[in-house]
Amino acid sequence: MLARCWILVPLLVCHGQRLKEYNLWVCPHCERGVKVADVTDLSCEAQTSDDGIEWPWVKKAMKNFLTNLRLPPGQRALEHEVERLLALASAPLKGDCYLGIIALGFFAYHFMDTSERQNFIRTTVFGGVTFQKTVPLSYWDVYASGWPIFGLLAIAAETVQNDLQLQSLLQGEQPDVGLTGIDLGPRNCDFPGGPASKEDQRFMMALEKNLRGSDWLNGDEPSPPLPLRTTLEYLAQTSYRKCSWGRAAAYFAAAETLLSGNSVVSLAVWNSTKALVALGEHNLDGCEPNMTVYHEMQSVWPFWQILGRLEKRGLYDQAPDFTAALRPPPALPEAVRLKWQHLLHARHLKVEGKRLPMQAARPQEWGACLDDKADRAHIALSADLAQIDGLIVTLQSSVSSSANATKLCFHTFVLEQQKDFIVKGLTCAFGDAFETLDMEDHGQVLGAFTLHGQARLLIHRLDPARIWSEVGLNLTRPGAVMVGETDLSNSLRSDTGNLGALHNFARFSLHQLLPDLSRVVYLDEDVVVKGDLVELFQVPMRTERGAPGTVAAVQRSNQPLKTYVDVLQPAVPQWLPSEAPSFNAGVMVIDLERWRQRHASQLIAEWIAMNARRRLWLHGSQPPLLLLFHDEVVSLHWSWNVDGLGHRLNYPKNVLNEAKVLHWTGPLKPWRHHGVNRKLWEPHTREYCPQYSFREHTTTCRPDSWFC
């Protein structure tokens, strides 16, 4: 068998190079050659390669291989599976199951001779690059996929260490650099700053005793996890260290203990475990730059073994259901009343009475969209030139998904100098379905139109000075004020889109921009609407306990307020619960009357000014809404805002099918060259007009793109 297996070496080295290319999405359209998307089906349950490989079977056979690896030859079962896996690993693979291909590579590694193993692990994508270049996923995503990647890494690390002990007996010198030119010389992240401390030695002995060598591989039932007290004591005693591989092992051990110690895994336990794994990943991969998998395999700390045993427990199958998120405690009407009493009284303000609508005469065709007299649903959007493709899709999908589009009034806010471009772009895209309505000069309304002869669209003037003044922002550098004393505008724009843009702040002024409306639905332009917006507009603005709500939005129980706001700052009010759920403000219903009566924009302006001095948040325009309205949010059904489509590709199909609004939060907008989830967005596009479009076509083959 071994002679046959040696043939695998050149094939896998070549294959490693091809994996690197697939891994990094190397193409002329990619931004600086970096990864821009995860693989689609992490578990590969639905993947069958062009050669007919059954990836679910491969995954199961890999787990059986690990279980039988340390058993004596006479006691090993299913050896025919090993023969079949070797045959698969020796042939060029064409499937898209990336984790399966990686698993086969580490599997084949164990059947090479010493010199070939060393060359393979140092000069291919399997060891000569960082973990993120080997597997472009977080550790948690790798674990949740169900593939035994960490278990395979653990036994490969043992082999690497044994080979290094015999290295002096090998002929020839080992290469000094890895696949991408990374120095493969020794690193010292096991015990940064000096030799192992007493705390390190005690904790390492506890881990060795708990893992019992390779016993964690054997049998159907893994050994018990390390007691949580032992792990926490070590973390407390080494808290002076910025990072170390010992602390990485401790975080992984704590995650295993927490997850395996609960018969029913709640969302809180699930998220806490994810956080611990993320901390361990940061300590492991972030200790020094360009830390390769080969470097990590030489460590004396058994972090791969801990993660491998966690994989063996199979607890990823106990993840809480997407629709079963823990519901936040509802706000009490009295608590909300006292909050506003305190806020307004401290500023010598009072709740204003209801404003009377203006009595000015209005054109019959479109004037009904300016007040509440007609039975219309009002939808507000704010767009610049670069978002015109998203605006077209948002309008088209909203109208086509409405049971009665004549009830829809769209209010789109644009800069006056951009109005002609946007109107011409809409006219070109919609063709005969876009009609201009007669109108005289009406101040803030720059144009009135119909969509498909049913819905009304008003183009409103957006005055930058008015918007910035409303929220108390610096007119010259508003982005810098929003993110604190350090101007992080460029990094925000790169990571998540331009969160400091003028159009993101228009929602704070809708009470003035639409003075005679009492309610409006606000939408970002990076959405596809699949539900009826009339239904959303008419949602009762009361919480479960009857507290009046100023905004209605989809709450995020898995992203508490402390994710966005530094809750330890003294400036944060006592009534802000750090674990209260946040919400995404890209799809929400706003009670404009309540907003006006309580001077909400003035309070938001105070928060923004305070942020410039004390760095309360670093996430653009959304945190002020969370600070002010966290306890009076009317919780919408999750289907009204399925977000994250600008960076996530692995949503379950039932979630996408039930969604009423698909939302491309994140930098990978579907009209951009590196955009993702395009197949969900493109069916709603209209006529392509290149002179009025920023859509970037690509010929790069991507799993989710219709351009391939």
Side-chain angles (χ1 to χ4, degrees):
M1 177 185 293
L2 285 180
R4 173 184 170 188
C5 297
W6 293 340
I7 303 175
L8 295 171
V9 178
L11 292 171
L12 280 168
V13 171
C14 255
H15 205 186
Q17 297 282 356
R18 186 160 65 86
L19 285 174
K20 172 179 176 286
E21 185 170 327
Y22 176 87
N23 183 7
L24 296 178
W25 294 109
V26 175
C27 67
H29 306 285
C30 296
E31 291 190 340
R32 298 181 299 278
V34 300
K35 176 184 70 69
V36 295
D38 296 340
V39 289
T40 49
D41 185 6
L42 299 184
S43 64
C44 303
E45 294 297 337
Q47 292 285 357
T48 300
S49 75
D50 296 341
D51 296 333
I53 299 175
E54 299 176 4
W55 290 112
W57 176 87
V58 174
K59 182 192 293 187
K60 182 179 180 181
M62 287 288 180
K63 295 177 180 178
N64 292 337
F65 166 72
L66 286 175
T67 300
N68 288 279
L69 186 64
R70 292 294 187 262
L71 296 177
Q75 299 180 22
R76 295 175 185 171
L78 306 173
E79 289 196 3
H80 64 283
E81 291 185 345
V82 176
E83 292 282 347
R84 186 176 170 186
L85 288 174
L86 286 170
L88 289 176
S90 64
L93 302 175
K94 301 178 181 179
D96 289 330
C97 182
Y98 185 77
L99 290 178
I101 296 173
I102 287 291
L104 282 172
F106 283 119
F107 162 80
Y109 168 79
H110 297 282
F111 298 91
M112 303 175 189
D113 67 17
T114 304
S115 61
E116 289 170 321
R117 280 198 306 264
Q118 282 286 300
N119 184 63
F120 175 77
I121 207 65
R122 295 166 66 100
T123 62
T124 72
V125 74
F126 293 92
V129 295
T130 63
F131 184 89
Q132 279 298 309
K133 290 182 179 179
T134 301
V135 183
L137 299 168
S138 70
Y139 280 34
W140 181 264
D141 284 338
V142 174
Y143 164 70
S145 72
W147 282 92
I149 300 296
F150 294 120
L152 290 166
L153 279 169
I155 58 174
E158 294 178 14
T159 304
V160 165
Q161 294 177 23
N162 291 334
D163 288 345
L164 286 173
Q165 293 177 3
L166 300 174
Q167 186 172 339
S168 59
L169 303 178
L170 298 177
Q171 297 296 323
E173 296 182 356
Q174 297 293 337
D176 294 327
V177 295
L179 181 62
T180 57
I182 298 175
D183 181 12
L184 293 179
R187 304 286 182 94
N188 184 25
C189 282
D190 281 332
F191 312 107
S197 65
K198 293 181 180 179
E199 292 81 8
D200 292 323
Q201 295 172 3
R202 282 197 297 267
F203 187 59
M204 186 174 293
M205 290 179 59
L207 286 173
E208 291 175 353
K209 182 178 180 181
N210 179 254
L211 291 166
R212 297 198 300 271
S214 299
D215 287 354
W216 62 272
L217 282 170
N218 300 332
D220 296 328
E221 292 295 330
S223 55
L226 191 69
L228 188 59
R229 180 185 179 90
T230 304
T231 303
L232 295 180
E233 284 180 349
Y234 175 73
L235 288 171
Q237 292 164 350
T238 58
S239 59
Y240 60 91
R241 291 177 178 168
K242 182 178 179 181
C243 70
S244 77
W245 287 351
R247 290 178 65 81
Y251 282 122
F252 294 147
E256 181 191 22
T257 306
L258 190 62
L259 197 59
S260 60
N262 293 268
S263 57
V264 178
V265 179
S266 67
L267 188 65
V269 169
W270 189 254
N271 288 334
S272 298
T273 307
K274 289 174 63 176
L276 288 168
V277 172
L279 287 169
E281 179 180 356
H282 170 73
N283 274 265
L284 188 57
D285 291 344
C287 190
E288 289 186 14
N290 294 327
M291 187 66 67
T292 67
V293 174
Y294 177 72
H295 285 120
E296 293 167 347
M297 285 181 170
Q298 301 175 53
S299 174
V300 298
W301 290 100
F303 36 77
W304 298 134
Q305 288 90 328
I306 297 168
L307 290 173
R309 186 168 65 177
L310 183 58
E311 285 176 336
K312 191 173 178 62
R313 296 185 190 280
L315 299 172
Y316 45 79
D317 293 331
Q318 299 182 21
D321 185 72
F322 179 86
T323 60
L326 297 179
R327 301 182 67 84
L332 297 173
E334 181 64 11
V336 173
R337 186 188 68 80
L338 291 174
K339 179 191 78 172
W340 283 107
Q341 177 180 309
H342 167 74
L343 290 173
L344 297 179
H345 179 74
R347 292 159 180 81
H348 305 289
L349 299 173
K350 63 179 181 179
V351 176
E352 299 290 346
K354 187 173 183 179
R355 293 178 55 177
L356 296 175
M358 296 176 62
Q359 301 299 322
R362 287 172 175 153
Q364 185 175 2
E365 282 189 292
W366 55 271
C369 285
L370 293 178
D371 57 39
D372 292 331
K373 294 179 181 178
D375 184 21
R376 302 294 177 91
H378 301 274
I379 300 95
L381 309 103
S382 183
D384 61 17
L385 299 185
Q387 297 171 316
I388 188 170
D389 299 283
L391 175 63
I392 291 168
V393 167
T394 300
L395 294 172
Q396 171 64 22
S397 60
S398 299
V399 173
S400 62
S401 300
S402 177
N404 184 2
T406 60
K407 291 188 174 184
L408 297 179
C409 285
F410 294 96
H411 303 267
T412 300
F413 296 89
V414 303
L415 297 175
E416 187 168 7
Q417 65 269 27
Q418 297 181 356
K419 173 252 184 180
D420 290 342
F421 181 93
I422 290 177
V423 170
K424 290 177 181 178
L426 293 173
T427 302
C428 181
F430 283 94
D432 294 340
F434 191 77
E435 299 179 9
T436 303
L437 298 176
D438 294 332
M439 64 170 294
E440 299 176 357
D441 180 42
H442 195 276
Q444 298 302 313
V445 179
L446 302 176
F449 312 89
T450 62
L451 294 172
H452 297 281
Q454 302 178 75
R456 298 290 191 268
L457 169 64
L458 302 187
I459 303 293
H460 296 258
R461 177 185 290 107
L462 191 63
D463 182 359
R466 183 178 182 180
I467 299 301
W468 295 135
S469 175
E470 180 71 21
V471 293
L473 280 177
N474 184 320
L475 297 182
T476 58
R477 296 176 67 236
V481 176
M482 280 308 298
V483 298
E485 296 172 356
T486 304
D487 187 356
L488 301 180
S489 304
N490 290 333
S491 61
L492 281 171
R493 191 174 294 110
S494 173
D495 293 341
T496 57
N498 188 3
L499 299 181
L502 168 71
H503 295 275
N504 271 330
F505 293 91
R507 53 193 166 197
F508 295 147
S509 299
L510 291 175
H511 65 296
Q512 289 188 353
L513 298 173
L514 301 170
D516 294 326
L517 296 183
S518 60
R519 179 183 295 199
V520 71
V521 173
Y522 176 84
L523 295 179
D524 283 345
E525 287 71 30
D526 53 355
V527 302
V528 165
V529 178
K530 298 171 62 182
D532 193 338
L533 291 179
V534 175
E535 176 189 347
L536 178 59
F537 179 80
Q538 295 174 344
V539 65
M541 295 296 284
R542 291 271 172 178
T543 65
E544 290 183 358
R545 289 287 192 92
T550 305
V551 297
V554 175
Q555 294 185 289
R556 295 163 159 174
S557 297
N558 63 330
Q559 295 182 27
L561 292 187
K562 65 181 181 182
T563 305
Y564 297 91
V565 180
D566 184 357
V567 297
L568 299 180
Q569 282 275 9
V572 174
Q574 293 184 353
W575 46 261
L576 178 66
S578 63
E579 297 297 329
S582 64
F583 62 87
N584 176 262
V587 180
M588 62 178 177
V589 185
I590 304 175
D591 186 330
L592 296 176
E593 193 62 42
R594 185 173 171 83
W595 185 294
R596 293 186 195 100
Q597 292 173 346
R598 282 155 181 78
H599 310 274
S601 290
Q602 179 176 335
L603 296 171
I604 286 174
E606 291 182 18
W607 281 117
I608 292 174
M610 189 180 300
N611 186 54
R613 299 189 303 271
R614 308 196 186 188
R615 297 286 297 275
L616 300 179
W617 67 81
L618 294 173
H619 293 80
S621 62
Q622 187 161 283
L625 292 169
L626 301 177
L627 283 164
L628 199 54
F629 302 124
H630 70 94
D631 56 350
E632 49 183 304
V633 179
V634 176
S635 184
L636 297 175
H637 189 265
W638 63 262
S639 60
W640 281 112
N641 192 355
V642 175
D643 60 2
L645 293 171
H647 58 81
R648 178 178 176 181
L649 287 172
N650 57 345
Y651 262 120
K653 289 184 178 180
N654 67 300
V655 172
L656 298 176
N657 291 336
E658 295 177 39
K660 295 181 179 179
V661 174
L662 299 172
H663 192 181
W664 273 259
T665 54
L668 309 182
K669 306 301 183 187
W671 57 84
R672 299 189 63 186
H673 67 269
H674 61 342
V676 295
N677 289 303
R678 291 188 175 193
K679 63 184 178 181
L680 300 173
W681 184 83
E682 287 164 359
H684 303 277
T685 57
R686 297 286 300 183
E687 183 71 22
Y688 175 59
C689 305
Q691 68 273 38
Y692 301 113
S693 174
F694 289 83
R695 198 189 316 176
E696 301 173 73
H697 295 262
T698 177
T699 57
T700 305
C701 190
R702 299 276 299 281
D704 70 305
S705 177
W706 280 19
F707 290 114
C708 291

